[in-house]
Amino acid sequence: MKNLTEGNITEAVIEAIKGTKDPRAKEVMSSLIRHLHAFVKDVRLTQAEWEAAIEYLYDTGQITGPTRNEFVLTSDTLGISSLVDIINSNPDGGTEASVLGPFYIEGSKMVEIGANLIGDSEGEPTVVSGTVRTLGGDPIEGAIIDLWQTAANGLYENQDPDQPENNLRFRMRTNKDGYYQFTTIKPVSYKVPTDGPVGRMLDLQGRHAWRPSHLHYKVSADGHRNLITEVFDEGDEYIEEDSVFGVRQSLTVPYNLVTSEEEAEKYGVASPFHRVEFDFELETL
Ligand code: BEZ
Ligand code: FE
């Protein structure tokens, strides 16, 4: 097509991709092109703004590597990761999904129900328990609970050379009642990394980088849909303003303070300690 104008360039690009064989790829790319063109026209994007956007993408690529993905962090802080979670969540119910984040490690150590993760960690002792069930309420035996969380300094083990390997992360199998239980320290609120392009973007937008205290879980069981989610402290000061939009009402729980010495002894923790309960519901495939 010659004589391209603001009025016809979008259709020219759509025409250029008409040979895309995969129908879903064609649908997605056509829509992306239309939305991007509409956006450029809507804001009357300047040359300098286009250059700034390209520089953002370039810097994002430069800082991204095997241990850090700034593209994912961009998606997270713009709410896109959460929107994808919400769109793809099970319409029939079950535990809501939430962002995976960059600190998950596959294959962390297997521990027994009742494991105590505290070791040398500082922080407030917390006993966490619950069940894994089907949507119909049947317990799922042998489901794998994969957990990871921050230490008291707000860092995950794989961000912090001073923490031992597998610190505050594990995998555990549920028993015949679908039950899991572990003792840990209360995770703390922390900031997502701000030393890259995402930090510049948050500054520009006048936003902070904090995430409210949360436990990360991956829950899987044969014949059931895998669940990646987070469980939040409902009393955290950032619960209403998570920088990556991961909080859902159904994923917030109280950290109940228990002062009874007898209860503390039962779980082998110092008193007082927090008690957290959360049940997972998995969709059957
Ligand atoms: C996290 O919770 O680990 C996380 C999630 C999204 C971006 C950065 C960190
Ligand atoms: Fe996290």
Coordinates of all heavy atoms in Angstrom, one line a residue, residues 99-103 148-150 156 190 211-212 214-216 230, ligand 2:
V99 N 0.4 -14.0 41.8 CA 1.7 -14.0 41.0 C 2.7 -15.0 41.6 O 2.9 -15.1 42.8 CB 2.3 -12.6 40.9 CG1 1.5 -11.7 40.0 CG2 2.5 -12.0 42.3
L100 N 3.5 -15.5 40.7 CA 4.6 -16.5 41.1 C 5.8 -15.7 41.6 O 6.4 -16.1 42.6 CB 5.0 -17.3 39.8 CG 6.3 -18.1 39.9 CD1 6.0 -19.3 40.8 CD2 6.7 -18.6 38.6
G101 N 6.1 -14.5 41.0 CA 7.2 -13.7 41.4 C 8.5 -14.4 40.9 O 8.5 -15.6 40.4
P102 N 9.6 -13.7 41.1 CA 10.9 -14.2 40.6 C 11.7 -15.1 41.5 O 12.8 -15.6 41.1 CB 11.7 -13.0 40.3 CG 11.2 -12.0 41.3 CD 9.7 -12.4 41.6
F103 N 11.2 -15.4 42.7 CA 12.1 -16.1 43.7 C 11.8 -17.5 43.9 O 12.4 -18.2 44.8 CB 12.1 -15.3 45.0 CG 12.4 -13.8 44.8 CD1 11.5 -12.8 45.1 CD2 13.7 -13.5 44.3 CE1 11.8 -11.5 44.9 CE2 14.0 -12.2 44.1 CZ 13.1 -11.1 44.4
W148 N 7.6 -20.8 49.7 CA 8.8 -20.0 49.8 C 8.4 -18.6 50.4 O 7.3 -18.2 50.2 CB 9.6 -19.9 48.5 CG 9.0 -19.2 47.4 CD1 9.3 -18.0 46.8 CD2 7.9 -19.7 46.5 NE1 8.5 -17.7 45.7 CE2 7.7 -18.7 45.5 CE3 7.2 -20.9 46.5 CZ2 6.7 -18.9 44.5 CZ3 6.2 -21.1 45.5 CH2 6.0 -20.1 44.5
Q149 N 9.3 -18.0 51.1 CA 9.0 -16.8 51.8 C 10.3 -16.0 52.2 O 11.4 -16.5 52.1 CB 8.2 -17.1 53.1 CG 9.1 -17.8 54.2 CD 8.5 -17.7 55.6 OE1 7.8 -18.6 56.0 NE2 8.9 -16.7 56.3
T150 N 10.1 -14.7 52.6 CA 11.2 -13.9 53.0 C 11.7 -14.2 54.4 O 10.9 -14.6 55.2 CB 10.8 -12.4 53.0 OG1 9.7 -12.2 53.8 CG2 10.6 -11.9 51.6
Y156 N 14.6 -13.1 50.1 CA 14.5 -14.5 49.9 C 15.9 -15.1 49.9 O 16.9 -14.4 49.6 CB 13.8 -14.8 48.5 CG 12.4 -14.5 48.5 CD1 11.9 -13.2 48.3 CD2 11.4 -15.4 48.8 CE1 10.6 -12.8 48.3 CE2 10.0 -15.1 48.9 CZ 9.6 -13.8 48.6 OH 8.3 -13.5 48.6
Y190 N 8.1 -6.3 52.0 CA 9.4 -5.9 51.4 C 9.2 -5.2 50.0 O 8.1 -5.2 49.5 CB 10.2 -7.2 51.1 CG 9.7 -8.2 50.1 CD1 10.0 -8.1 48.8 CD2 8.8 -9.1 50.5 CE1 9.4 -8.9 47.9 CE2 8.2 -10.0 49.6 CZ 8.6 -9.9 48.3 OH 8.0 -10.7 47.4
R211 N 5.5 -4.7 48.9 CA 4.5 -5.8 48.8 C 4.1 -6.1 50.3 O 5.0 -6.2 51.1 CB 5.1 -7.0 48.2 CG 5.5 -6.9 46.7 CD 5.3 -8.2 46.0 NE 3.9 -8.5 46.0 CZ 3.3 -9.7 45.9 NH1 4.1 -10.8 45.9 NH2 2.0 -9.8 45.9
P212 N 2.9 -6.4 50.5 CA 2.5 -6.8 51.9 C 3.1 -8.2 52.2 O 3.3 -9.0 51.3 CB 1.0 -6.8 51.9 CG 0.6 -6.9 50.5 CD 1.7 -6.3 49.6
H214 N 3.6 -11.9 52.8 CA 2.9 -13.0 52.2 C 3.8 -14.3 52.2 O 5.0 -14.3 52.2 CB 2.5 -12.7 50.7 CG 3.7 -12.3 49.9 ND1 4.1 -11.0 49.8 CD2 4.6 -13.0 49.1 CE1 5.2 -10.9 49.0 NE2 5.5 -12.2 48.6
L215 N 3.0 -15.4 52.1 CA 3.7 -16.7 51.9 C 3.3 -17.2 50.5 O 2.2 -17.0 50.1 CB 3.0 -17.8 52.9 CG 3.3 -17.5 54.4 CD1 2.3 -18.3 55.2 CD2 4.7 -17.9 54.8
H216 N 4.4 -17.6 49.8 CA 4.1 -18.1 48.4 C 3.9 -19.6 48.4 O 4.6 -20.3 49.1 CB 5.4 -17.9 47.5 CG 5.6 -16.5 47.1 ND1 5.1 -15.9 46.0 CD2 6.4 -15.5 47.7 CE1 5.6 -14.7 45.9 NE2 6.4 -14.4 46.9
E230 N -0.6 -16.9 46.7 CA 0.1 -16.3 47.9 C -1.0 -16.2 49.0 O -2.2 -16.0 48.7 CB 0.6 -14.9 47.5 CG 1.5 -14.9 46.3 CD 1.8 -13.4 46.0 OE1 1.0 -12.8 45.2 OE2 2.8 -12.9 46.4
Ligands
FE2 FE 7.2 -12.6 47.5

